[in-house]
Amino acid sequence: MDNLIEQRPPTYHAVIAGYGSFAPEKTITNDDLAEMVDTTDEWITTRTGIKVRHITTDNETTALLAIKAAKRALAEAKLDAKEIELIIVATITPEMVFPSTASFVQLALDAKKAWAFDLAAACSGFIYGLSIVRQFIESGQIKNALVVGAETLTKITNWKDRTSCILFGDGAGAFVLERADKNNRRGIMYSTMFSDPTRWDALNCQAYGSRYPVGKKLDNPEKIYMQIKGRQVYQQAIRRIVETVTECLEKCNLTLDDIAMVISHQMNARIIESAAKRLKLPDEKVFLNIAEYGNTSAASVPIAFDECVRKGRVKRGDIVILVAFGAGLTWAANVIEF
Ligand SMILES: CC(C)(COP(=O)(O)OP(=O)(O)OC[C@H]1O[C@@H](n2cnc3c(N)ncnc32)[C@H](O)[C@@H]1OP(=O)(O)O)[C@@H](O)C(=O)NCCC(=O)NCCS
């Protein structure tokens, strides 16, 4: 028995060595949208907090955004891409049906040592990805990993549907995670993930998977675009964020005083503010950048984290909670000592 214990791999921590983000240059404002659908800047601002979103041109793809964000995170981590052991790209708007977007990131980075795959958990994808990487690093199986959240949601947006086209934008964010001795920073301290498939129809894009393959006539031509039932999702999002953050605090034996920032998926400023109010989180511990990006799904948390650090609102050693909610439905959180 003693011998078995000795043979166990040592425990490591998965720490954030680098972070970075990228958003396409082209933007679309609320006033631009008001020329396309029956809406106003005032309606969008008060109901969502969004003012502008970045959108890709025809030549800009999900892998391109992912590669730009990944390069920034690698530079920050001072890690040579040739040393990366695992690449996960969280996305619901992949480069193509297959191979994975992660394969294209691996190719562009010439990351020969890595294995790579995509993760489809919508807005929770990046948080799921961190949780997976944590397991591989803590078990001693890998020394580092690159996790990217990258989306081009505007390519599946119905620009004639005012209930959805106002919400989404494109972008990418990335973390480099590295193995650290357990006596160093704690890195990812706690992870929690959930999904509820009974509400899958609240948020989806049905064409062109195996249910509606290319070549089969769609019963509704709108199925090539994202469909959302925003009202149904709204209350769920608030409830799940509150539950998940509360669980994180309890399981890690932390109080709000111990937390420097809660960085939520940016889906709607009103949802985030309502959740924060219920959690009794002071304003300075809630990061919001939805005004400039809209909802970028899996890219939203790493973009927000990158901005938060660059603005000096989170510093090395701080404890932050990353939390997301989205299609699936899925929701998840990680507690991180940065
Ligand atoms: C989409 C969302 C902003 C809508 O806000 P809301 O306050 O719930 O608004 P409602 O859907 O109840 O619509 C209220 C009215 O505004 C109208 N409306 C909808 N979109 C509009 C727009 N862009 N401009 C003006 N009016 C609009 C509706 O038609 C409705 O009119 P009615 O009362 O005459 O029927 C909000 O529900 C939301 O953010 N939900 C979550 C979004 C989501 O699912 N994100 C992805 C997952 S993370």
Side-chain angles (χ1 to χ4, degrees), residues 127 131 134 188-194 240-256 258-259 261-263 279 319-324 331-336:
I127 307 281
S131 314
R134 176 183 170 215
I188 305 177
M189 295 162 60
Y190 183 72
S191 308
T192 184
M193 289 82 68
F194 300 91
R240 298 308 187 184
I241 290 171
V242 171
E243 278 174 9
T244 312
V245 172
T246 305
E247 177 194 319
C248 286
L249 294 170
E250 282 173 11
K251 296 280 182 183
C252 295
N253 209 11
L254 296 168
T255 69
L256 290 180
D258 301 312
I259 304 295
M261 191 70 71
V262 173
I263 301 179
L279 287 162
I319 296 177
V320 296
I321 297 178
L322 309 180
V323 62
W331 60 102
N334 279 298
V335 184
I336 291 173

Side-chain angles (χ1 to χ4, degrees), residues 1-50:
M1 193 64 180
D2 282 343
N3 193 25
L4 265 182
I5 289 168
E6 275 168 28
Q7 283 178 31
R8 271 193 197 154
T11 305
Y12 299 104
H13 290 145
V15 300
I16 302 171
Y19 47 88
S21 65
F22 178 80
E25 207 179 311
K26 190 175 167 195
T27 54
I28 181 161
T29 64
N30 292 347
D31 287 335
D32 294 333
L33 286 167
E35 288 180 17
M36 296 156 66
V37 289
D38 182 15
T39 193
T40 59
D41 172 46
E42 202 254 330
W43 193 95
I44 302 172
T45 306
T46 51
R47 300 283 179 132
T48 71
I50 304 167

Side-chain angles (χ1 to χ4, degrees), residues 38-39 43 47-48 123 162-163 166 203 230-231 233-234 265 267-268 270-271 295 325:
D38 182 15
T39 193
W43 193 95
R47 300 283 179 132
T48 71
C123 308
R162 69 173 183 173
T163 64
I166 57 156
L203 294 157
R231 224 350 66 196
V233 177
Y234 194 93
H265 165 50
M267 74 289 270
N268 180 326
R270 281 168 70 206
I271 291 176
N295 178 346
F325 173 92

Side-chain angles (χ1 to χ4, degrees), residues 78-318:
K78 298 186 177 57
L79 182 71
D80 188 333
K82 291 191 172 48
E83 299 303 320
I84 305 170
E85 295 180 29
L86 166 60
I87 299 172
I88 299 178
V89 176
T91 186
I92 48 165
T93 45
E95 189 77 358
M96 49 183 77
V97 175
F98 68 87
S100 69
T101 309
S103 301
F104 290 102
V105 173
Q106 179 178 14
L107 182 69
L109 297 177
D110 197 24
K112 289 200 173 69
K113 232 195 220 183
W115 54 289
F117 69 95
D118 283 5
L119 194 163
C123 308
S124 309
F126 186 80
I127 307 281
Y128 272 36
L130 293 184
S131 314
I132 291 168
V133 160
R134 176 183 170 215
Q135 302 305 317
F136 280 104
I137 290 184
E138 285 191 354
S139 67
Q141 211 167 329
I142 60 173
K143 287 207 261 324
N144 64 54
L146 172 68
V147 185
V148 188
E151 302 282 12
T152 51
L153 291 166
T154 66
K155 292 187 195 280
I156 55 164
T157 294
N158 181 355
W159 295 105
K160 291 185 178 144
D161 174 13
R162 69 173 183 173
T163 64
S164 65
C165 75
I166 57 156
L167 295 173
F168 301 98
D170 300 333
F175 279 8
V176 170
L177 290 123
E178 283 183 346
R179 188 165 96 180
D181 184 87
K182 64 181 172 192
N183 298 321
N184 291 346
R185 285 193 315 276
R186 282 177 291 176
I188 305 177
M189 295 162 60
Y190 183 72
S191 308
T192 184
M193 289 82 68
F194 300 91
S195 57
D196 172 9
T198 61
R199 294 172 197 259
W200 73 269
D201 66 336
L203 294 157
N204 60 66
C205 182
Q206 297 187 32
Y208 289 103
S210 61
R211 190 177 292 193
Y212 296 104
V214 183
K216 182 176 169 185
K217 197 171 181 311
L218 294 168
D219 52 351
N220 171 4
E222 310 275 282
K223 280 184 175 160
I224 59 168
Y225 302 117
M226 249 185 305
Q227 316 272 316
I228 76 154
K229 295 177 183 154
R231 224 350 66 196
Q232 282 188 17
V233 177
Y234 194 93
Q235 290 302 335
Q236 274 291 314
I238 297 170
R239 180 178 151 203
R240 298 308 187 184
I241 290 171
V242 171
E243 278 174 9
T244 312
V245 172
T246 305
E247 177 194 319
C248 286
L249 294 170
E250 282 173 11
K251 296 280 182 183
C252 295
N253 209 11
L254 296 168
T255 69
L256 290 180
D257 289 343
D258 301 312
I259 304 295
M261 191 70 71
V262 173
I263 301 179
S264 169
H265 165 50
Q266 309 281 308
M267 74 289 270
N268 180 326
R270 281 168 70 206
I271 291 176
I272 299 170
E273 283 160 359
S274 297
K277 201 170 161 197
R278 288 182 203 188
L279 287 162
K280 298 193 171 53
L281 261 173
D283 289 352
E284 67 273 15
K285 296 194 178 190
V286 184
F287 189 74
L288 280 171
N289 69 351
I290 192 168
E292 296 96 50
Y293 292 92
N295 178 346
T296 58
S297 190
S300 130
V301 169
I303 291 175
F305 183 91
D306 186 35
E307 281 212 337
C308 203
V309 176
R310 290 185 199 290
K311 287 183 172 166
R313 297 198 43 200
V314 163
K315 298 182 186 60
R316 283 285 176 195
D318 281 350

